[in-house]
Amino acid sequence: MLIVQKFGGSSVADKERIMNVAEIIAKTHNEGKKVVVILSAQGDTTDELLQKAAEISENPSEREVDMLLATGEQQSVALMAIALNSMGLPAVSLNAQQIGISTSSTHGNARVLNICGERIPAELEEGKIVLVTGFQGINEYGDITTLGRGGSDASAVAMAAALGAELCEIYTDVDGVYTADPRIVKNAGKLDQISYDEMLEMATLGAKVLHNRSVEMAKTHNVNMCVRSSITKAEGTRVVNSGDIERHAVVGVAGDLDVCLVAVREAKNETGSLYKLFSVLAGHGINVDIITQFKGDSFSEITFTVSKKDAEKTLKALNENKNHLAIETIKTDGSMAKVSAVGVGMASNPGVAAKMFEAIYECDSEIFLITTTEIKISVLVNAGDYVKVMNAVHEKFELGRTNQITK
Amino acid sequence: MLIVQKFGGSSVADKERIMNVAEIIAKTHNEGKKVVVILSAQGDTTDELLQKAAEISENPSEREVDMLLATGEQQSVALMAIALNSMGLPAVSLNAQQIGISTSSTHGNARVLNICGERIPAELEEGKIVLVTGFQGINEYGDITTLGRGGSDASAVAMAAALGAELCEIYTDVDGVYTADPRIVKNAGKLDQISYDEMLEMATLGAKVLHNRSVEMAKTHNVNMCVRSSITKAEGTRVVNSGDIERHAVVGVAGDLDVCLVAVREAKNETGSLYKLFSVLAGHGINVDIITQFKGDSFSEITFTVSKKDAEKTLKALNENKNHLAIETIKTDGSMAKVSAVGVGMASNPGVAAKMFEAIYECDSEIFLITTTEIKISVLVNAGDYVKVMNAVHEKFELGRTNQITK
């Protein structure tokens, strides 16, 4: 049985944390499993290296930044090999060049294309624990690339897919995926299982335990993932195919306070106005989240949300194109919060939306915008009602620790 | 014209030093020369990484230590590329895997075998300054090796030889090779030129500006080297073929205080006793420097010198084998100093030895041991006479700043 284990930077930040992780790896190895370990750079190493580059140049070449940053993971894998060796275990560290991870050529945000090397299977065959640098690859020119945020998770999933691993364990400093953020909803419970699609929605909506790219990749290659804590070592949350888990209407409630509502009223109901409006926003690099449209007889109103940091830029872009877009009025409101219920079973469970609206009505909060997908219902409420609404919805779907759905 | 420039760790220790080195490189590039730069790890980086490994294990795997240490040079080359880019110059950093430096497989002390990559010529052809990680290579298994002490100098010379460079400049924090250590001999002068062989002897004898391996390699491949300061930027000392420089009897005086004299008296004049004695020492990893032998009618005495740190180990090894080696008495004396005069012209200049002995006699010092090669005369004197003898010999051969031989 082959397991891929990934440990983040805080898990290998110092000697004590390294030895702690070495024990987790050793335990897995001693159970007779083949183990491939993906490591991130130690603690703040990546930030320190970026700082060094920034001191020299405000705008350093991305190729050279990747060359610089890649050293962080290489240090981690070498130190971990030394730690495992000191426990009498056979281990070998390998960097991206040695294992042959090929990626696209975009420095700083490359995508894994292929893992073609023979080295890992050969080392595993010899009984060795293989330690691999996360976050990095090699492009077609032989240059080192890095995979961007969440890159080590992506390395781990790509590795698990390429090697046909039975399980890809992502160790982090939380002990799994929760039904809601425990800082907001005190009664939030840890999920034993969650589907890829639910995880994708939860991640997007603020439960940032896993980065979406790794979940998408796991879904595509059908890799069984597990999120667990390197500190408590408790059983974590398995992220699996939705076909493999019991269907529940709602698995979790996610929230987001980084929301600015924009309402644009157009003078006339012109064909192609939606296209023109969002082309302008895209041209300014503004990401839009929820979009709704109301069409009246004499005017139409388009309402959408953007990240708060983009609010000013959005206003400016729209004002500059007011005539071109035939805009009558623009209103923005940054005092909003998004609350979403997520669950693959939602589509086959009628009444989920009604139940959610009921919860919000009962706690005396107003809904400003609604958007739904097959596995998610999101509403915009006043930011001041955020905690109240999160808890009310969480309770309405009986997601609390005492009612945990996947038990 | 192609120039290889090598900068040590102290030359790239911080942002200011990096920018200083970048200016030296830029100047060479702007003169229309092709430049390949070899860099060491920044300042104390290598020691800090070794310390991290030592915290985890007293006896870390040499393969993993090499994997760990190699990151230091990679950081240097990336940062230097960023610095040169910020000055508007085209530069690219490459590590050992990318340039294809193949080495022997001995981790921590590998030898360069070959540089086979096409990458450097291709980048030079595009007009780029090429920055290469020193001190490291790749062995037949694809593992990273390091070249041991002086390894970056060796990288630079190997690179200059492989690329057919016109000159290999070794930048350091002294401004060249001196006729003697200026801390001991106040009147010591900088040499404009020195031959490989003289440099080898000077290095061995304590003028440790260049490591012998790089000088040997330069001699073998006939690479023109130049030692100069990255701080003063003054013309340094060129290390060239002895055929290319005017012959002088003596170019410099070198000294060494790390000398312990060992005198072994054997009971009988047995055949093979020398072999047996030095086999025992070699078996204990003890390096022997000067060896002389006196053969009398009833006994023979072998006198040799070892490094002070090996004195105790030498005594122990000899005492344990006293019977086997037929030893009567063992005497050691750690209060000795070695003074040597070096020069390729010595062999064709009769009277060099006489002149040296005269200088020592005139300053009232006693000679305990003499050894000569074609280009060197070494004597052992009392450590207390060291400074006096160094200066006397230096003056006798008229090596002072006012009499500089190669001017």
Side-chain angles (χ1 to χ4, degrees):
Chain A
M1 184 181 178
L2 172 61
I3 291 194
V4 172
Q5 299 184 318
K6 180 259 168 179
F7 298 89
S10 62
S11 297
V12 292
D14 55 34
K15 185 201 160 187
E16 284 65 37
R17 305 296 299 271
I18 287 176
M19 296 314 296
N20 171 58
V21 167
E23 273 165 29
I24 295 174
I25 299 168
K27 186 166 172 289
T28 317
H29 173 82
N30 290 335
E31 284 166 1
K33 292 165 188 154
K34 291 182 178 173
V35 192
V36 174
V37 179
I38 314 287
L39 298 180
S40 301
Q42 288 189 285
D44 300 326
T45 305
T46 301
D47 288 338
E48 284 163 16
L49 291 172
L50 282 174
Q51 179 58 34
K52 277 195 178 188
E55 277 172 20
I56 292 172
S57 169
E58 280 177 19
N59 189 23
S61 142
E62 289 183 330
R63 181 200 181 274
E64 298 302 337
V65 169
D66 281 357
M67 185 82 168
L68 181 67
L69 295 186
T71 62
E73 288 77 28
Q74 190 165 320
Q75 293 177 358
S76 292
V77 291
L79 291 171
M80 189 61 74
I82 290 168
L84 288 164
N85 287 161
S86 78
M87 296 161 76
L89 295 172
V92 63
S93 70
L94 298 172
N95 66 20
Q97 291 168 302
Q98 288 166 336
I99 58 174
I101 292 197
S102 65
T103 71
S104 62
S105 54
T106 325
H107 287 288
N109 199 23
R111 306 275 150 160
V112 176
L113 299 176
N114 196 13
I115 300 178
C116 58
E118 292 301 307
R119 184 83 192 251
I120 295 178
E123 297 285 359
L124 288 172
E125 208 46 56
E126 285 187 20
K128 290 200 189 134
I129 297 165
V130 178
L131 306 163
V132 175
T133 51
F135 182 63
Q136 59 190 256
I138 305 297
N139 69 16
E140 56 183 315
Y141 309 109
D143 289 337
I144 297 174
T145 53
T146 63
L147 307 182
R149 293 225 165 264
S152 288
D153 288 0
S155 300
V157 174
M159 192 64 71
L163 298 171
E166 271 81 357
L167 183 61
C168 177
E169 291 184 325
I170 308 289
Y171 283 86
T172 174
D173 46 8
V174 297
D175 57 3
V177 182
Y178 275 70
T179 53
D181 185 338
R183 288 167 302 182
I184 310 285
V185 179
K186 296 288 169 225
N187 197 30
K190 194 184 76 185
L191 293 164
D192 290 340
Q193 297 192 101
I194 189 168
S195 73
Y196 300 122
D197 293 325
E198 288 163 342
M199 189 66 233
L200 285 171
E201 291 290 1
M202 294 289 276
T204 313
L205 297 169
K208 303 194 192 306
V209 179
L210 286 176
H211 200 271
N212 267 6
R213 272 167 65 188
S214 55
V215 181
E216 277 164 16
M217 204 187 287
K219 186 185 169 192
T220 306
H221 298 283
N222 214 13
V223 171
N224 280 333
M225 291 177 90
C226 177
V227 180
R228 57 193 299 189
S229 162
S230 61
I231 300 154
T232 69
K233 293 163 196 167
E235 290 292 326
T237 302
R238 292 175 80 103
V239 188
V240 294
N241 206 305
S242 58
D244 299 343
I245 53 174
E246 209 186 326
R247 290 185 164 228
H248 285 272
V250 173
V251 296
V253 180
D256 192 356
L257 281 167
D258 182 19
V259 180
C260 181
L261 185 74
V262 184
V264 176
R265 180 170 292 202
E266 293 176 344
K268 49 182 177 176
N269 201 337
E270 198 184 319
T271 316
S273 65
L274 268 175
Y275 157 71
K276 284 183 198 163
L277 176 64
F278 291 102
S279 293
V280 165
L281 296 179
H284 285 77
I286 298 162
N287 270 323
V288 176
D289 182 19
I290 302 174
I291 302 171
T292 63
Q293 187 183 222
F294 168 81
K295 289 203 180 198
D297 288 339
S298 57
F299 70 94
S300 66
E301 188 164 288
I302 298 163
T303 313
F304 57 90
T305 62
V306 296
S307 173
K308 279 180 179 167
K309 70 171 170 41
D310 286 339
E312 207 168 316
K313 197 158 65 165
T314 304
L315 255 183
K316 190 157 170 278
L318 293 179
N319 276 318
E320 279 169 3
N321 292 277
K322 219 170 170 175
N323 292 337
H324 165 59
L325 297 173
I327 292 174
E328 253 183 14
T329 60
I330 307 168
K331 278 190 246 173
T332 63
D333 187 341
S335 64
M336 291 280 151
K338 184 164 73 167
V339 174
S340 310
V342 175
V344 284
M346 197 174 280
S348 54
N349 269 279
V352 169
K355 217 165 170 180
M356 180 158 176
F357 302 153
E358 185 186 9
I360 298 170
Y361 167 77
E362 282 171 359
C363 74
D364 221 13
S365 181
E366 190 181 350
I367 296 172
F368 292 89
L369 208 64
I370 302 167
T371 181
T372 61
T373 72
E374 285 195 352
I375 68 162
K376 182 187 74 174
I377 302 171
S378 298
V379 299
L380 242 55
V381 296
N382 275 320
D385 294 341
Y386 181 57
V387 174
K388 183 170 79 176
V389 170
M390 284 286 287
N391 277 280
V393 174
H394 192 262
E395 194 164 330
K396 181 61 87 183
F397 289 108
E398 298 177 351
L399 295 173
R401 224 172 295 147
T402 43
N403 307 302
Q404 207 166 327
I405 52 156
T406 52
K407 282 254 167 89
Chain B
M1 184 178 178
L2 172 61
I3 291 194
V4 172
Q5 300 183 318
K6 180 258 168 181
F7 298 89
S10 62
S11 297
V12 292
D14 54 34
K15 185 200 161 186
E16 283 66 35
R17 304 297 299 271
I18 286 176
M19 295 315 295
N20 172 59
V21 167
E23 273 164 31
I24 295 174
I25 299 168
K27 186 166 172 289
T28 317
H29 172 82
N30 290 336
E31 285 165 0
K33 293 166 188 154
K34 290 182 179 174
V35 193
V36 174
V37 179
I38 314 287
L39 298 179
S40 300
Q42 290 189 284
D44 300 325
T45 305
T46 302
D47 287 339
E48 284 164 15
L49 291 172
L50 282 173
Q51 178 58 32
K52 276 196 179 189
E55 277 173 19
I56 292 171
S57 169
E58 281 177 19
N59 188 23
S61 142
E62 289 182 330
R63 180 200 182 276
E64 299 302 337
V65 168
D66 281 358
M67 185 82 168
L68 182 66
L69 294 186
T71 61
E73 287 76 30
Q74 190 166 320
Q75 292 177 359
S76 293
V77 291
L79 291 172
M80 189 61 74
I82 291 168
L84 288 164
N85 287 161
S86 78
M87 297 161 74
L89 295 171
V92 62
S93 70
L94 298 171
N95 67 19
Q97 290 168 302
Q98 289 166 334
I99 57 173
I101 291 197
S102 65
T103 71
S104 62
S105 54
T106 325
H107 286 288
N109 200 22
R111 307 273 149 161
V112 176
L113 299 177
N114 196 12
I115 300 178
C116 57
E118 292 301 307
R119 183 83 191 252
I120 294 178
E123 298 284 0
L124 288 173
E125 209 46 56
E126 285 187 21
K128 290 201 189 133
I129 297 165
V130 178
L131 307 162
V132 175
T133 51
F135 181 64
Q136 58 191 255
I138 304 297
N139 69 15
E140 57 182 315
Y141 309 110
D143 289 338
I144 296 174
T145 54
T146 62
L147 307 183
R149 293 223 165 263
S152 288
D153 288 359
S155 301
V157 174
M159 191 64 70
L163 298 172
E166 271 79 357
L167 183 60
C168 177
E169 292 185 324
I170 307 289
Y171 283 85
T172 172
D173 45 10
V174 297
D175 56 5
V177 182
Y178 276 70
T179 53
D181 185 340
R183 289 167 302 183
I184 310 287
V185 179
K186 296 289 169 225
N187 197 30
K190 193 183 77 185
L191 293 164
D192 290 339
Q193 297 191 100
I194 188 168
S195 74
Y196 300 123
D197 293 325
E198 288 164 341
M199 189 66 233
L200 286 170
E201 290 291 0
M202 294 290 276
T204 313
L205 296 169
K208 300 194 193 305
V209 179
L210 287 175
H211 200 271
N212 267 5
R213 272 166 67 188
S214 55
V215 181
E216 278 164 16
M217 205 186 287
K219 186 185 168 190
T220 306
H221 298 283
N222 213 14
V223 171
N224 280 333
M225 290 178 90
C226 177
V227 181
R228 56 193 299 188
S229 161
S230 61
I231 302 154
T232 69
K233 293 163 196 168
E235 289 292 327
T237 301
R238 291 175 82 101
V239 189
V240 295
N241 208 306
S242 58
D244 299 342
I245 53 174
E246 208 186 327
R247 288 186 166 229
H248 285 272
V250 172
V251 295
V253 179
D256 192 356
L257 281 166
D258 182 18
V259 180
C260 181
L261 184 75
V262 184
V264 176
R265 180 170 293 201
E266 292 177 345
K268 48 181 176 178
N269 200 335
E270 197 182 322
T271 318
S273 66
L274 268 174
Y275 158 70
K276 283 184 198 162
L277 176 63
F278 290 102
S279 295
V280 165
L281 297 178
H284 284 78
I286 297 162
N287 270 322
V288 175
D289 181 19
I290 302 174
I291 302 170
T292 62
Q293 188 182 220
F294 167 80
K295 287 201 181 199
D297 288 340
S298 58
F299 71 93
S300 68
E301 190 164 287
I302 299 162
T303 313
F304 57 90
T305 61
V306 296
S307 172
K308 278 180 179 167
K309 71 171 170 41
D310 286 338
E312 207 169 313
K313 199 159 63 166
T314 305
L315 256 182
K316 192 158 169 278
L318 294 179
N319 275 319
E320 278 169 4
N321 290 278
K322 218 169 171 177
N323 292 336
H324 166 58
L325 298 172
I327 292 174
E328 252 183 16
T329 60
I330 307 168
K331 277 190 247 174
T332 64
D333 187 341
S335 62
M336 291 280 151
K338 184 164 71 167
V339 175
S340 310
V342 174
V344 285
M346 198 176 280
S348 54
N349 270 279
V352 170
K355 216 166 171 180
M356 181 158 177
F357 301 154
E358 185 186 7
I360 298 170
Y361 167 76
E362 281 171 1
C363 75
D364 219 14
S365 183
E366 190 181 351
I367 296 172
F368 293 90
L369 206 67
I370 302 167
T371 181
T372 61
T373 73
E374 285 195 349
I375 68 162
K376 182 186 73 176
I377 302 171
S378 298
V379 298
L380 242 54
V381 297
N382 274 322
D385 295 340
Y386 182 57
V387 174
K388 184 170 75 175
V389 170
M390 285 286 287
N391 277 281
V393 175
H394 192 261
E395 194 165 330
K396 181 62 86 182
F397 288 109
E398 298 176 351
L399 295 174
R401 224 172 294 148
T402 44
N403 307 303
Q404 208 167 325
I405 52 157
T406 51
K407 281 248 169 93

